[in-house]
């Protein structure tokens, strides 16, 4: 954009805050159009007589308010005008900050899929035998689900004292599809779904695409705040809440039994359904009872094979109160087009043969070895890890900002996720954290090399990285 300068004559607070407020005001007034490119940081710093760092902090604040997006090598663009949106919280950002097509030649620390431990050979054999034994089923649509598919789901989702019955199981095309089918079946467009400020935000974005609204609930170092959940229930009247009680993505927090009991009580009082994503929980040996044990009449448990066996198989199941089962199964078919026989059968055979359990053990051993590398290289920094879970939450030292650190890693050939990738909606909370996974590099030496890059950037600080885009 040309011939535009911010008005900094009014307002209070530091210059970067006044600059961000001025830009936000001009966006709301239509002075700056949706899609417009903001001036390069260096140019604007020169025009108003300040430092590039001040401009960077203002642009970062605008990103945290959900007003702009930064694109490496291209600049900073206005996302849209909130005044023109009659329901500003109806849809969260769709894409997030992770590129759909990752740059080639980069080290993938932005994925937590199961590591390659040789499971391809086992799966290849099962694929071949399935094709030989079920040629007609593979050539047609899947209309009938054999009982073994439900048995596999019941076996895989079982953890601690939780033992789901066969009449509660719905086989699904992965855990994400399971969760979205439940949301589609149990809510209507315009209904509120509760999410934490930081969570697996692709569910919130997907829910926004089908017209569900996001209500945010606060959390502390121990997880969801039950008092704030009750406030949200009283004010927003949500129909459903999505949560990850064990090893939450991205912060690795695990809810205590006391908080799970409190959440179950509040959900029952306000008639809120609960979706318990146990995808990472199934990797842990955490003994805390599942949320479903405290509120079995309203809790859907979702899980699958992607983090512990093989993401490409897309194996998943959910367990729900039997009264929900038919609606969710129909919704899953409508949302996904149907469950492919080949994938469902291979996932079932992996579980029922015991091979899935054996592969999970090998994956856990590999993850543990890689986490040991992280803990050694990043000793002294504020990192959170959890045994068996393939990602790390790093709280950045001052003066690093989450997005800036992500870009610095990208420039050094390492793909990680900044905190905005996990924000379920517009949030003023700032966490100054990044998440990186350790399961996708082919070898442990690649993990060591990527973590060394992260350590070097942390040691050098911002002085070792600057961007004028």
């Amino acid at each position: 954009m040309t011939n535009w300068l911010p008005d900094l004559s009014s307002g209070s607070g530091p210059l970067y805050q006044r600059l961000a407020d001025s830009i936000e005001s001009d966006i709301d007034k239509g002075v700056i159009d949706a899609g417009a490119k903001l001036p390069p940081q260096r140019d604007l710093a020169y025009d108003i007589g300040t430092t590039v760092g001040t401009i960077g902090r203002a642009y970062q604040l605008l990103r945290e308010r959900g007003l702009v997006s930064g694109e490496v090598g291209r600049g900073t663009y206005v996302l849209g005008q909130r005044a023109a949106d009659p329901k500003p919280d109806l849809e969260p950002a769709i894409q997030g900050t992770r590129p759909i097509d990752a740059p080639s030649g980069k080290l993938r620390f932005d994925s937590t899929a199961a590591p390659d431990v040789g499971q391809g050979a086992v799966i290849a054999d099962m694929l071949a035998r399935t094709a030989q034994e079920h040629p007609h089923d593979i050539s047609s649509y899947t209309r009938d689900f054999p009982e073994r598919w439900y048995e596999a789901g019941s076996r895989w989702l079982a953890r601690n004292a939780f033992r789901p019955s066969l009449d509660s199981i719905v086989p699904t095309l992965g855990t994400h599809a399971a969760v979205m089918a439940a949301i589609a079946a149990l809510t209507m467009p315009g209904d509120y779904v509760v999410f934490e400020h930081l969570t697996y935000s692709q569910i919130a974005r997907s829910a926004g695409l089908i017209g569900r609204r996001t209500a945010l609930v606060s959390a502390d170092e121990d997880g969801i705040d039950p008092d704030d959940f009750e406030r949200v229930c009283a004010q927003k009247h949500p129909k459903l809440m999505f949560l990850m009680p064990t090893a939450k993505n991205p912060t690795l927090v695990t809810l205590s039994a006391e908080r799970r009991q409190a959440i179950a009580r509040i959900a029952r009082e306000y008639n809120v359904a609960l979706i318990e994503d146990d995808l990472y929980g199934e990797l842990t040996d955490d003994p805390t009872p599942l949320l479903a044990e405290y509120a079995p009449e309203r809790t859907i448990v979702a899980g699958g094979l992607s983090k512990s066996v093989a993401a490409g198989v897309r194996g998943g199941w959910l367990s729900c109160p039997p009264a929900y089962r038919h609606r969710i199964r129909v919704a899953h078919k409508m949302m996904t087009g149907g469950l492919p026989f080949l994938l469902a059968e291979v996932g079932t055979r992996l579980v029922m043969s015991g091979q899935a359990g054996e592969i999970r053990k090998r994956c856990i051993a590999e993850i543990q070895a890689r986490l040991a590398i992280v803990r050694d290289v990043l000793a002294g920094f504020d990192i959170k890890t959890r045994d068996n879970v393939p990602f790390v939450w790093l709280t950045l030292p001052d003066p690093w900002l989450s997005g800036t650190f992500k870009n610095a890693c990208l420039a050094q050939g390492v793909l990680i996720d900044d905190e905005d990738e996990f924000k379920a909606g517009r949030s003023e909370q700032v966490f100054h954290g990044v998440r990186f996974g350790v399961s996708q590099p082919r070898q442990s030496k690649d993990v060591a090399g990527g973590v060394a890059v992260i350590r070097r950037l942390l040691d050098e600080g911002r002085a070792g990285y600057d961007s004028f885009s």
Side-chain angles (χ1 to χ4, degrees), residues 12-327:
S12 60
L15 181 59
Y16 79 89
Q17 183 175 323
R18 285 188 284 134
L19 174 57
D21 291 342
S22 176
I23 295 173
E24 180 178 7
S25 176
D26 284 349
I27 290 173
D28 285 340
K29 293 175 183 177
V31 176
I32 304 176
D33 293 330
K37 181 180 180 181
L38 294 183
Q41 296 179 25
R42 181 169 50 185
D43 293 356
L44 186 56
Y46 177 83
D47 289 338
I48 66 176
T50 188
T51 65
V52 173
T54 296
I55 307 301
R57 293 187 70 182
Y59 281 16
Q60 176 65 19
L61 188 56
L62 291 169
R63 286 183 67 240
E64 292 166 358
R65 294 175 181 176
L67 297 172
V68 302
S69 65
E71 300 181 26
V72 177
R74 294 192 60 208
T76 302
Y77 290 80
V78 176
L79 290 176
Q81 298 183 39
R82 292 178 298 172
D85 184 357
K87 289 184 177 180
D89 57 352
L90 182 61
E91 295 183 3
I94 293 174
Q95 182 176 332
T97 63
R98 182 185 298 165
I100 294 177
D101 297 314
S104 60
K106 306 293 184 182
L107 191 61
R108 304 271 342 217
F109 271 22
D110 62 343
S111 174
T112 57
D116 184 352
V117 292
Q119 59 267 66
V122 174
I123 294 170
D125 179 65
M126 289 187 172
L127 284 168
R129 287 193 284 116
T130 299
Q132 291 170 358
E133 296 169 13
H134 298 276
H136 178 72
D137 293 312
I138 290 174
S139 67
S140 186
Y141 295 109
T142 305
R143 294 184 173 89
D144 299 313
F145 288 12
E147 185 171 309
R148 62 183 177 275
W149 290 6
Y150 302 110
E151 292 174 353
S154 177
R155 180 178 299 187
W156 190 254
L157 294 179
R159 192 162 70 81
N160 297 339
F162 178 64
R163 295 291 185 271
S165 61
L166 296 190
D167 65 352
S168 75
I169 300 296
V170 178
T172 63
L173 193 60
T175 307
H176 183 107
V179 173
M180 287 308 303
I183 291 174
L186 303 181
T187 64
M188 297 289 290
D191 285 345
Y192 278 105
V193 179
V194 181
F195 297 92
E196 293 176 71
H197 287 257
L198 282 186
T199 187
Y200 175 59
S201 62
Q202 291 192 38
I203 294 296
R205 296 173 197 148
S206 299
L209 285 175
I210 60 171
R212 277 55 171 177
R213 292 192 282 177
T214 294
L216 297 177
V217 62
S218 296
D220 55 26
E221 63 275 7
D222 296 317
I224 293 173
D225 180 353
D227 290 337
D228 196 54
F229 177 44
E230 187 161 19
R231 176 194 64 80
V232 170
C233 289
Q235 293 181 357
K236 301 283 190 178
H237 308 291
K239 295 295 179 66
L240 189 149
M241 179 164 72
F242 169 83
L243 68 166
M244 307 177 80
T246 306
K248 189 193 81 170
N249 185 13
T251 60
L252 292 160
V253 170
T254 292
L255 283 173
S256 66
E258 291 74 20
R259 291 210 177 185
R260 296 183 196 213
Q261 288 176 314
I263 288 169
R265 174 187 58 78
I266 295 164
R268 189 174 290 115
E269 179 179 348
Y270 289 92
N271 195 27
V272 178
L274 302 169
I275 296 181
E276 180 172 14
D277 184 336
D278 200 43
L279 193 57
Y280 293 105
E282 65 190 25
L283 283 166
T284 72
D285 56 2
D286 185 82
T288 312
L290 268 66
L291 185 60
E293 296 182 52
Y294 297 111
E297 82 287 353
R298 64 186 58 254
T299 304
I300 296 103
V301 178
L305 305 178
S306 63
K307 310 305 180 184
S308 51
V309 180
V313 173
R314 305 306 300 152
W317 300 268
L318 64 77
S319 170
C320 63
Y324 297 164
R325 186 188 184 196
H326 179 71
R327 277 188 288 166

